[in-house]
Amino acid sequence: MPPREHSAASPSGVNISGTIGNALLMHARERAVHFFMFIFALDALCRRVGVVNPAVKIAAADAFRVAATHQVDSGFRSKDPVHWGFDEDDPKVVLNSSTSCRNTDAAHFCNLGLEAVAWARLAAGHGGDIHAFDLIEMVKRLAGNTKQMPQRINIGPDRVIDVLHGELAGVFLSAGKPVVSRANLNAYLAAATAAMSDYKAEQLRLKRLGLAACCDVYLDVYANGGDDIWMTLTGYVWAECGARRDALAVADYLDW
């Protein structure tokens, strides 16, 4: 397995403060956006390379890995008492500051990566086409983007969504339909709700009320119908296809 490709966070980037609960609201929502934008960009890349270089025919479902191959930023560790330790048993842990936890990870939004052989062929086969090149960079960026989150969340409830992304990506990319659709978003929300509810039930059984409270935040995001996620996704995909109208047909990627 090739090593993960790491890159530093932008020096002009910010880590928005607030409570863990508020940070999780943004994180769960952004995870859905990143997931769909990743499969859109990968699908668009594979199609575009196949057009500019017919010798390179790679299905998008064969071009990703169920593991992060890129990572922006790294975690944080501190023994300074000014930083708080995550208490998985405390239901009020979601009220703690999101920027002063003692142990944080750079938690991936997407947590999908790129299959090495397929990726090498795509990277070598774009023939200097500007659209393919831009899509290569977009896929890498979406694969690597992260947010600082308490480590216990990253290896706990957030891991549930990591697994879900690996299961759904292949299904959506293999269906032969536009990957960004209301039907696919509804399927995502339903599957995420079921998986997170199961995880929450296990945490309640184990009296881990802090982790259960974190699960509730994810579930709140999935319970709102996804209208805000849908509006963001349609705007992004429409803009990308509109800017590349000679290369990407919006009907191939977006089903209203």
Side-chain angles (χ1 to χ4, degrees), residues 180-197:
V180 180
S181 69
R182 192 68 205 227
N184 280 353
L185 177 57
N186 289 343
Y188 178 102
L189 296 174
T193 296
M196 193 61 70
S197 295

Side-chain angles (χ1 to χ4, degrees), residues 173-232:
L173 286 169
S174 300
K177 300 177 181 179
V179 291
V180 180
S181 69
R182 192 68 205 227
N184 280 353
L185 177 57
N186 289 343
Y188 178 102
L189 296 174
T193 296
M196 193 61 70
S197 295
D198 287 346
Y199 182 83
K200 176 188 172 182
E202 178 64 9
Q203 303 317 302
L204 289 174
R205 186 185 69 82
L206 297 170
K207 309 298 184 185
R208 295 172 179 166
L209 302 184
L211 287 177
C214 292
C215 294
D216 283 336
V217 182
Y218 289 85
L219 291 169
D220 284 346
V221 173
Y222 307 141
N224 73 4
D227 289 345
D228 58 334
I229 297 172
W230 179 242
M231 288 179 65
T232 299

Side-chain angles (χ1 to χ4, degrees), residues 7-23:
S7 56
S10 169
S12 61
V14 295
N15 194 23
I16 298 174
S17 189
T19 66
I20 286 293
N22 286 338

Side-chain angles (χ1 to χ4, degrees), residues 41 51 68 76 87-88 93 140 157 185 200 210 228 234:
V51 169
F76 170 80
D87 185 351
E88 65 183 26
V93 72
K140 290 194 296 185
L185 177 57
K200 176 188 172 182
D228 58 334
T234 54

